[in-house]
């Protein structure tokens, strides 16, 4: 399937949340302009092959009028309760030649019987509806998230289940396969399924990526990320990531849609590493894929098309150090013929061999693509790539697995020959396709940070380009302010910047950063350790962790130096470690650092899998002191770590 879409839409879309608690009134759900044909049109234009819809997310709200619950579109104002989004999507997919998949959250924060055996019947009834009434479903997605707490029919409590046993997956799988024999099952929480999570929602899988895993037994993070060389089941990695930071729509993320260079990076780190790419659109309140998201995926499709337009190896002479006796059928030329079902093969017992492409003139390239004939398994364990540059062989890459498709992003190289050597394989290698390309350069947007003193620092991704920026909300061009060094700022700042390459006259996408008050007068007051400044230094790359001997709840108190009118706060967990990621918090404010008032409390939804900036708004409070109290973390131990802590002022 290579590349397909995720659609996240639920009550969350209307509450600005990532995880609904299960108590929101269905009346808030009203995507007035919802148009599944628009989704399908965008996905088709993006080169995607299917769409997976969150038919039910953790909140329990169903996008189809399930017979088994009232918590669905049938009690929403959308189409007067007569609508069915799964039906509309199935029809749109059929019309556009796309396949449809469904996400059905096992965790249901609305259902009163969640946690009891009765829920499993309910869950299977819903599965049966989805897999019976809407035609072919290519994939079913079972999210492993289970935060415990929920509305649960009004009980409002925390319910723990044993994800391994509670859902009785083996019988659920039997039901699924009976209803949809060709479906692939994705399951992050229970029994091994047909596809695996790659251990991150960041949009990349390991460079070494086996499509194998063991059919039973525990799976470590390393196995998720790299597969298992000698696994006994075919469980390829599916890279799921969102086009914005969150999975659901938040207006505040309109300026955070991934840029072309970011999307290209995702593409090369998923699709280019033997993974499928499942890219999410947080459908907006209207019920549409936002214009900016559409523009971004179409740009990606365009850039990919341009990058791979001309295969410089086509028609060139290829010779191999070894070929199967029947060279007519398995010769080196079979790797260059552009056909998927023909391949270059070595002799039965030969597991290392090279294939050399003679360009017959100096040829410039920066991408190398290679594919194994995976119908007969994934075999290659290691390979190298060398180029003959000015008469000398030069090593370009030393790599491990290939699989269905591997793309190497290389420094621009001019060479007369290219030598691809398989140095180790599980069995004689079968290479179905090789491509050499010269992709146009794409400038990366600059990185903008503000330090404690309030100085804004802008760094280009490549040192040769110039930086131009604006501070007045207008889009930067090469006529804007020229960046020559840190820009001193005090209060709120809205800075937009581009990198500009004078040689190619190209500009990068715009970096758009909004900063609140500066941290110049801030001080963490309840910690002796100097390193704690990392929490307020404006650098997301530095972090501070509470000492290990402390017990939850853990407090971090900051003196802002002067009274401010606060309307919210932002928390970024440490980016280098999975320890101390705060999942539940209380946030207090105070005038004197002694008498505290609660301004906000709750959870940072999905922070475990997606440890990005968390923003919480609250009623305005005048205060000089703030206190973030960690009451629980994602590992359920006593750690608390902070990449950054910030406030939102009126
Ligand atoms: C996560 C969920 O908790 C998110 O909300 C989202 O659905 C993502 C695809 O998977 O684990």
């Amino acid at each position: 399937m290579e590349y397909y879409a995720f659609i996240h839409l639920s009550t969350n879309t209307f509450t600005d949340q990532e995880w609904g608690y299960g108590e929101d009134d269905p009346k808030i759900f009203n995507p007035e302009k919802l148009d599944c044909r628009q989704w399908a049109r965008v996905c088709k234009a993006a080169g995607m092959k299917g769409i997976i819809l969150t038919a039910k997310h953790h909140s329990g709200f169903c996008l189809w009028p399930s017979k088994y619950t009232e918590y669905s579109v049938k009690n929403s104002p959308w189409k007067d309760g007569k609508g069915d989004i799964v039906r509309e999507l199935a029809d749109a997919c059929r019309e556009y030649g796309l396949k449809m998949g469904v996400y059905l959250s096992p965790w249901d924060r609305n259902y009163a019987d969640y946690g009891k055996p009765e829920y499993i019947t309910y869950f299977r009834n819903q599965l049966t509806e989805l897999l019976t009434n809407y035609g072919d479903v290519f994939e079913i997605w079972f999210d492993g998230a289970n935060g415990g707490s929920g509305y649960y029919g009004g009980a409002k409590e925390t319910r723990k289940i044993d994800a391994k046993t509670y859902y009785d997956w083996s019988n659920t799988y039997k039901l699924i396969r009976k209803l949809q024999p060709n479906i692939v099952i994705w399951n992050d929480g229970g029994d091994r399924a047909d596809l695996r999570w790659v251990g991150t929602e960041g949009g990349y899988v390991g460079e070494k990526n086996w499509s194998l895993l063991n059919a039973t037994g525990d799976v470590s993070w390393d196995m998720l990320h790299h597969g298992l060389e000698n696994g006994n089941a075919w469980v390829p990695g599916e890279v799921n990531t969102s086009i914005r930071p969150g999975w659901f729509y938040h207006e505040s993320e309109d300026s955070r849609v991934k840029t072309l260079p970011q999307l290209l990076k995702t593409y090369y780190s998923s699709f280019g590493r033997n993974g499928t790419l499942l890219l999410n659109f947080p459908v907006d309140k209207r019920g549409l894929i936002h214009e900016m998201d559409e523009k971004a995926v179409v740009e990606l499709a365009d850039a990919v098309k341009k990058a791979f337009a001309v295969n410089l190896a086509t028609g060139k002479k290829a010779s191999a150090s070894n070929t199967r006796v029947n060279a007519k059928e398995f010769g080196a030329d079979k790797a260059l013929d552009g056909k998927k079902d023909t391949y270059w093969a070595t002799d039965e017992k030969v597991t290392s061999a090279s294939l050399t492409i003679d360009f017959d003139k100096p040829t410039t390239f920066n991408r190398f693509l290679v594919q194994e004939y995976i119908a007969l398994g994934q075999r290659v364990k290691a390979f190298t790539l060398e180029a003959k540059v000015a008469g000398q062989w030069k090593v370009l890459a030393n790599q491990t697995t290939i699989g269905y498709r591997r793309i190497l992003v290389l420094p621009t190289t001019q060479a007369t020959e290219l030598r691809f050597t398989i140095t180790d394989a599980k069995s004689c290698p079968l290479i179905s396709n090789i491509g050499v390309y010269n992709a146009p350069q794409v400038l990366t947007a600059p990185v903008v940070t503000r330090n404690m003193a309030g100085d804004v620092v802008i760094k280009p991704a490549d040192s040769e380009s110039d930086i131009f920026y604006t501070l007045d909300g207008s889009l930067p061009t090469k006529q804007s302010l020229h960046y020559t060094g840190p820009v001193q700022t005090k209060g709120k700042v809205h800075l937009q910047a581009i990198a500009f390459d004078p040689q190619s006259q190209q500009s990068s996408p715009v970096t758009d950063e909004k900063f609140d008050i500066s941290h110049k007068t801030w001080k963490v007051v309840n910690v002796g350790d100097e390193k704690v400044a990392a929490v307020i230094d404006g650098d997301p790359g530095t972090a501070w962790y509470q000492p290990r001997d402390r017990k939850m709840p853990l407090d971090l108190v900051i003196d802002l130096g002067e009274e401010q009118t606060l309307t919210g706060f932002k928390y970024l967990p440490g980016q280098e470690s999975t320890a101390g990621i705060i999942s539940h918090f209380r946030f207090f404010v105070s005038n004197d650092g002694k008498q505290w008032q609660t301004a906000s409390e709750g959870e940072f939804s999905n922070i475990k899998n997606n440890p990005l900036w968390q923003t919480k708004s609250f009623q305005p409070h005048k205060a000089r002191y703030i206190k973030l109290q960690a009451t629980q973390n994602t590992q359920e131990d006593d750690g608390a770590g902070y990449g950054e802590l910030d406030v939102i002022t009126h």
Side-chain angles (χ1 to χ4, degrees), residues 6 8 12 18-19 54 57-58 103 105 107 141 143-146 186 188 197 201 240-241 246-248 278 280 605-610:
F6 226 164
H8 273 64
N12 306 3
E18 278 292 294
W19 284 359
T54 53
H57 201 253
H58 311 326
Y103 171 121
S105 172
W107 182 29
W141 226 85
D143 200 308
N146 197 302
W186 189 100
D188 168 39
W197 187 43
E201 294 178 355
N240 67 305
T241 193
W247 292 97
F248 284 92
L278 172 55
N280 178 64
S605 312
N606 201 32
I607 194 168
K608 183 173 180 190
N609 288 346
N610 208 14

Side-chain angles (χ1 to χ4, degrees), residues 398-564:
N398 257 314
Q399 283 294 337
T400 54
T401 56
I402 296 174
Y404 174 63
R405 178 187 275 107
R406 185 74 200 272
I407 304 172
L408 301 184
V409 175
L410 304 165
T412 302
T413 305
Q414 197 186 59
T416 48
E417 287 175 64
L418 188 66
R419 185 158 66 201
F420 161 65
T421 305
I422 294 158
T423 51
D424 198 6
K426 291 169 81 173
S427 181
C428 58
L430 315 172
I431 302 299
S432 72
N433 186 27
I434 285 180
V436 182
Y437 305 88
N438 194 28
Q441 296 289 353
V442 175
L443 273 192
T444 303
V447 176
V448 179
T449 50
R450 179 161 72 167
N451 64 20
M452 263 192 88
D455 301 337
V456 174
V457 178
I458 314 179
K459 286 202 182 111
D462 91 83
S463 54
E464 246 114 87
S465 38
D466 288 328
I467 302 275
F468 295 96
Y469 68 98
T470 63
L471 290 164
D472 60 4
S474 64
L475 280 181
T477 66
K478 62 180 186 202
Q479 269 80 45
S480 305
L481 300 165
H482 189 193
Y483 179 80
T484 50
V487 187
Q488 282 177 10
T489 63
K490 241 205 199 136
K492 295 199 181 195
V493 176
H494 182 190
L495 187 138
Q496 298 187 73
I498 50 164
F500 179 79
D501 176 20
Q503 268 210 310
S504 64
Q505 292 283 305
Q506 259 196 63
S507 25
S508 75
V510 178
T511 302
D512 183 314
E513 288 290 350
K514 289 192 176 110
F515 299 99
D516 210 284
I517 51 169
S518 98
H519 299 179
K520 205 170 186 163
T521 54
W522 291 25
K523 203 172 163 359
V524 180
V525 289
N526 69 329
V527 174
D529 185 358
E530 257 175 41
K531 293 198 189 104
V532 75
V535 177
I536 49 174
D537 66 359
D539 181 354
T542 60
W544 183 79
Y545 296 85
Q546 295 272 7
R548 289 194 164 266
D549 54 347
R550 306 284 160 88
K551 289 259 167 282
M552 291 274 186
L554 294 165
D555 291 348
L556 194 78
V557 181
I558 295 173
D559 175 1
L560 305 177
E562 55 198 353
E563 187 184 87
Q564 301 286 352

